[in-house]
Amino acid sequence: MYNRYFSLIAGILLFCSSEFLFSQTVNKFPAKTDPLHKKVAMFTELMLGNHWNEGTFLQRVIFPPAGSTKPLIAWYSDCLDVTVEMLVAYCFKYAITKNNDDLQRANQIFEGILKLEKVTGVPGLMARGFYKTDKPLWFEQVLWYPLEWHASTSMPGYRWLGDLSADKFTSLFYGIGIYYELCADEKNKKRAADLLDRFAGRCIDYNFKLVDLDGKMTLWGNYCPDLPHQSLNSLEMLMGLKVSHRITGKERFHAAYNMLIDRYHYDDQQLESKVMWPTEWRNSYDDDHAAKSLYMLMRYEDDRSLMIKYRMNLNIHWYDWQNHDFSFQGDPWFIMLYQVLTGENVMTEDRIEGIKSMWGFEREMRTFKIPVNDGYKLVESVVEGHASTMIRNYWFGRYYGFIDPEW
Amino acid sequence: MKFILLFFSIITAFPIVGESTKNWLTPPQGMVYVPAGSFIMGSTYGDPDERPQHIASTKAFFIEKYEVSNAEYALFDTSYAFENGKENFSVVVTWEQAAAYAKWAGKRLPTEKEWEKAARGTDGRVFPWGNTYNNKFVVWDRTHPRGSALAKPESPYGCYDMAGSVWEWTDDWYKPYPGNNIPMEQYGEKYKVMRGGSNFNNHSFIRTTQRYYVPPNSTANYPVGFRCVKDAE
């Protein structure tokens, strides 16, 4: 009898604690003084426990009491970027460990990326993110452009966020390209190639634009030679076409790559992809996309004159990167990436210390204006950022021998 | 059609260059004069809703040189709060708020035709200053005040910031141009058209012909402000 009451009370306490007090699945954080490998392992557990959404990863998750007890309330706009970084991390990890668990995790993430296309119901149209729900949740009105959320017709019960942007475009080719190189078996190589064929093919069909469900170009999806666009986008499109050709083997992508260079001089435009002056216009987030593009292009391109131009672009970025103080989470990656692509030894003691000090995120409290029938109510809640960049940095560094497993 | 547009763009370019301003009406404070007449509207290379490129015309009107600022809007809506030091930044409001301000000020919101003509003049240019984009020609996102583009380019009639800064409301519902048969479920009397783009988005969105749709009772989280017009009688 006593045991039954004890079990009942324990059960109630467990329910309360899990649903209301500690509804985050994972709550253990590393200490700043922990070795790097331990920090990476613990942040990976936090990502898998608190950010996992059917094969994708949510970027910044808002915990109760702001919304559901499930990790569904989040920013979805950069979901594809975060998901791809986790895919890339597992690809580099698997290349080192050859552990089947790492391979399976990479494959699960690949399935999540495929779902980002499936949920839109349009071949080659990718969503920024998706979630399963009976009805639209409040964050759609607050955290991004509410008109860009759609009910899925191909996956009933799901809602998805459109308006795919240039950085997501870059992430997709970079992530799928590395997955193809390091992880995918023959069956998944074919599926990866088919995905890029549909995605890049649709973009070319629309004259090098990302076109949304409404038939209009997305807010950032402009690679069109007939429209004014950012020089960075010229670089990204060249990378997308290069990777597509490499993986699908289809001449169409090679022809498009050459056309954009020969007729529209994208190879020259890409040289201006980093805005250097005024200095306050320098943008590390743009650098991240340039770095992904150059990493793929400079390993795949064998035309010497083009390689000189891509190297020039890298040199311009390096002028800025070499002075970074590692405050941006991508900084350690820029340093390692530069050394991988150039062969120059740029790894100083300070930079090594910077890599050892990499950190994922802190939780923070934020107040949200939640729409209710007669206006808004203010709710304070915990927000958890993501650690995908740090985890990617780590396995990239391990793969290329920059990071000692004992660190 | 191409030759008609070419011919039209040549003959209409001259009045702007050569016409004496002494015949123009004197605009009210803070406004510029846009004469009556035709201009090239729409594009052949943008989104489907910009087509067909066609000849449109307007009556003469005055349009404000700058977007309405926080400080100006606060004179109308005394409950409107904004950050200290941002008096001269463009206001961000719903269409309903913008229309109410315009009425209060004895003005109105521009039609799409008026907005596009004021932005590009009569020669069919891509941007208010010409056909080439440069970061120095636009206000850097919303972190800078009105008119602070490094090059401070004017539109053909003397307006600032019609490309970039914040989007700008027009009076019109989002509808297809005459002769456009490409279906869009958003057409009708549900959304108002905003123009001019924000630098936060890609360069193509600050073209003078770019159209976008937002419901009138919301900004839908877009940075959208406005400028007013007034009939020239």
Side-chain angles (χ1 to χ4, degrees):
Chain A
M1 187 66 176
Y2 172 81
N3 280 345
R4 267 200 292 180
Y5 279 124
F6 180 80
S7 298
L8 180 63
I9 292 167
I12 291 169
L13 283 173
L14 188 63
F15 173 80
C16 290
S17 66
S18 64
E19 288 295 303
F20 298 109
L21 300 178
F22 301 108
S23 55
Q24 301 92 323
T25 307
V26 179
N27 290 286
K28 285 184 182 168
F29 277 75
K32 294 263 177 170
T33 52
D34 279 337
L36 181 59
H37 64 83
K38 184 177 178 186
K39 287 189 284 187
V40 169
M42 293 185 76
F43 274 117
T44 302
E45 288 305 307
L46 282 157
M47 289 295 291
L48 290 170
N50 301 341
H51 295 247
W52 180 260
N53 180 35
E54 301 187 32
T56 66
F57 287 86
L58 306 181
Q59 61 207 75
R60 276 185 294 163
V61 177
I62 305 165
F63 288 108
S68 164
T69 53
K70 294 181 286 184
L72 285 178
I73 311 298
W75 280 262
Y76 283 76
S77 52
D78 292 331
C79 168
L80 183 53
D81 292 330
V82 176
T83 300
V84 158
E85 293 298 21
M86 292 301 289
L87 173 65
V88 167
Y90 273 103
C91 288
F92 283 122
K93 186 181 182 189
Y94 173 68
I96 299 166
T97 65
K98 295 297 177 191
N99 183 320
N100 193 52
D101 290 345
D102 297 327
L103 175 63
Q104 291 312 313
R105 184 64 77 181
N107 287 338
Q108 287 174 351
I109 300 171
F110 175 59
E111 296 296 334
I113 291 171
L114 289 171
K115 198 177 278 188
L116 285 166
E117 181 198 29
K118 186 182 175 189
V119 74
T120 70
V122 179
L125 176 62
M126 303 289 295
R128 283 174 173 269
F130 59 76
Y131 70 105
K132 193 173 185 182
T133 180
D134 297 332
K135 58 182 181 183
L137 298 181
W138 65 267
F139 64 83
E140 290 188 11
Q141 297 298 316
V142 177
L143 300 182
W144 196 248
Y145 301 122
L147 298 178
E148 304 295 349
W149 279 100
H150 309 281
S152 175
T153 52
S154 52
M155 289 170 54
Y158 283 80
R159 292 183 63 77
W160 61 276
L161 182 60
D163 194 37
L164 200 74
S165 61
D167 40 6
K168 267 34 87 179
F169 172 97
T170 307
S171 286
L172 190 70
F173 290 107
Y174 150 83
I176 298 299
I178 291 172
Y179 176 69
Y180 186 95
E181 283 181 47
L182 298 178
C183 255
D185 60 16
E186 286 309 310
K187 182 184 162 201
N188 278 342
K189 279 187 175 177
K190 171 77 169 57
R191 296 171 78 211
D194 288 346
L195 173 63
L196 293 196
D197 188 18
R198 291 190 298 273
F199 181 71
R202 185 173 187 268
C203 191
I204 294 173
D205 290 344
Y206 281 108
N207 195 16
F208 302 93
K209 299 173 194 169
L210 300 179
V211 170
D212 225 333
L213 201 60
D214 63 4
K216 287 173 72 66
M217 182 169 66
T218 66
L219 288 173
W220 287 274
N222 178 13
Y223 305 89
C224 178
D226 300 323
L227 291 174
H229 59 266
Q230 279 89 336
S231 303
L232 175 59
N233 291 24
S234 295
L235 172 70
E236 293 170 348
M237 176 50 75
L238 291 179
M239 185 274 278
L241 294 171
K242 194 73 182 172
V243 173
S244 297
H245 178 237
R246 172 105 168 189
I247 288 178
T248 67
K250 289 198 172 181
E251 180 57 25
R252 179 187 196 197
F253 300 116
H254 189 223
Y257 180 82
N258 288 333
M259 182 190 77
L260 292 181
I261 289 170
D262 295 340
R263 193 184 301 172
Y264 297 102
H265 311 294
Y266 274 37
D267 54 331
D268 292 332
Q269 290 174 21
Q270 61 89 29
L271 290 168
E272 300 292 331
S273 55
K274 181 163 178 65
V275 178
M276 293 293 285
W277 293 280
T279 51
E280 65 264 30
W281 289 4
R282 294 181 187 180
N283 184 330
S284 292
Y285 293 98
D286 282 351
D287 290 0
D288 196 57
H289 307 303
K292 286 170 184 165
S293 301
L294 289 168
Y295 176 69
M296 302 306 283
L297 268 175
M298 292 181 73
R299 293 182 308 116
Y300 288 178
E301 183 55 70
D302 51 16
D303 181 297
R304 179 168 158 71
S305 64
L306 289 174
M307 277 299 286
I308 288 171
K309 290 183 180 179
Y310 298 144
R311 175 64 195 265
M312 287 167 68
N313 191 338
L314 182 66
N315 291 343
I316 294 167
H317 279 86
W318 181 247
Y319 179 85
D320 186 34
W321 292 349
Q322 63 184 320
N323 298 316
H324 280 199
D325 58 5
F326 281 38
S327 56
F328 179 68
Q329 56 189 352
D331 289 342
W333 189 58
F334 295 156
I335 303 297
M336 292 188 285
L337 181 134
Y338 180 81
Q339 184 161 331
V340 167
L341 293 178
T342 65
E344 294 174 22
N345 185 357
V346 294
M347 203 51 70
T348 62
E349 282 303 314
D350 283 352
R351 288 172 180 153
I352 289 170
E353 282 309 307
I355 289 171
K356 286 181 180 174
S357 304
M358 288 193 300
W359 186 253
F361 55 80
E362 308 285 353
R363 283 180 180 161
E364 60 180 19
M365 293 300 291
R366 274 192 57 175
T367 302
F368 294 92
K369 277 176 78 173
I370 298 181
V372 290
N373 289 339
D374 52 349
Y376 291 91
K377 66 175 179 178
L378 296 178
V379 173
E380 201 172 26
S381 187
V382 175
V383 176
E384 180 171 300
H386 73 86
S388 67
T389 308
M390 175 231 202
I391 296 165
R392 182 277 317 268
N393 291 349
Y394 178 78
W395 289 109
F396 182 91
R398 285 282 308 275
Y399 179 79
Y400 282 108
F402 294 106
I403 294 175
D404 189 316
E406 298 300 315
W407 288 1
Chain B
M1 182 63 182
K2 251 189 339 192
F3 292 108
I4 295 172
L5 288 171
L6 177 65
F7 174 73
F8 178 79
S9 64
I10 291 169
I11 59 164
T12 54
F14 288 106
I16 286 187
V17 177
E19 190 172 342
S20 165
T21 53
K22 72 184 177 187
N23 293 328
W24 291 19
L25 294 175
T26 305
Q29 177 81 24
M31 302 186 93
V32 295
Y33 177 66
V34 180
S38 305
F39 72 105
I40 299 169
M41 187 170 188
S43 81
T44 56
Y45 47 81
D47 278 343
D49 60 2
E50 298 172 32
R51 296 174 215 157
Q53 191 176 60
H54 58 286
I55 305 300
S57 63
T58 67
K59 293 180 179 175
F61 63 96
F62 301 112
I63 186 166
E64 288 175 328
K65 285 169 84 168
Y66 294 97
E67 292 157 344
V68 172
S69 70
N70 282 325
E72 288 166 342
Y73 186 80
L75 293 174
F76 157 67
D77 178 358
T78 51
S79 67
Y80 176 72
F82 57 93
E83 211 176 305
N84 260 344
K86 295 206 169 175
E87 290 77 6
N88 194 31
F89 282 57
S90 301
V91 72
V92 172
V93 289
T94 66
W95 182 91
E96 289 170 352
Q97 290 171 308
Y101 171 95
K103 190 174 178 187
W104 168 82
K107 301 170 184 171
R108 59 182 173 79
L109 295 177
T111 63
E112 276 200 87
K113 284 181 188 174
E114 289 168 336
W115 192 96
E116 187 166 323
K117 183 177 176 183
R120 75 189 311 199
T122 58
D123 60 5
R125 60 184 59 183
V126 176
F127 298 108
W129 53 81
N131 294 324
T132 308
Y133 177 83
N134 190 303
N135 284 343
K136 299 173 188 68
F137 298 174
V138 292
V139 175
W140 193 245
D141 203 17
R142 289 173 55 202
T143 55
H144 289 73
R146 301 179 304 168
S148 64
L150 296 183
K152 296 185 171 44
E154 298 179 32
S155 75
Y157 300 106
C159 293
Y160 293 90
D161 303 340
M162 294 195 84
S165 184
V166 294
W167 293 86
E168 296 181 20
W169 288 112
T170 70
D171 191 50
D172 289 342
W173 294 107
Y174 184 55
K175 292 182 176 178
Y177 290 156
N180 182 324
N181 298 316
I182 304 165
M184 268 191 81
E185 67 179 50
Q186 289 80 6
Y187 285 147
E189 299 202 347
K190 186 176 177 187
Y191 300 107
K192 291 289 185 179
V193 176
M194 60 180 189
R195 294 295 204 105
S198 151
N199 301 36
F200 186 48
N201 307 128
N202 84 70
H203 299 169
S204 182
F205 274 68
I206 64 172
R207 289 177 303 112
T208 53
T209 55
Q210 176 73 34
R211 312 171 72 199
Y212 222 75
Y213 54 89
V214 175
N217 61 352
S218 162
T219 65
N221 294 342
Y222 294 101
V224 48
F226 67 104
R227 74 181 73 215
C228 299
V229 295
K230 197 175 170 69
D231 294 330
E233 301 190 5

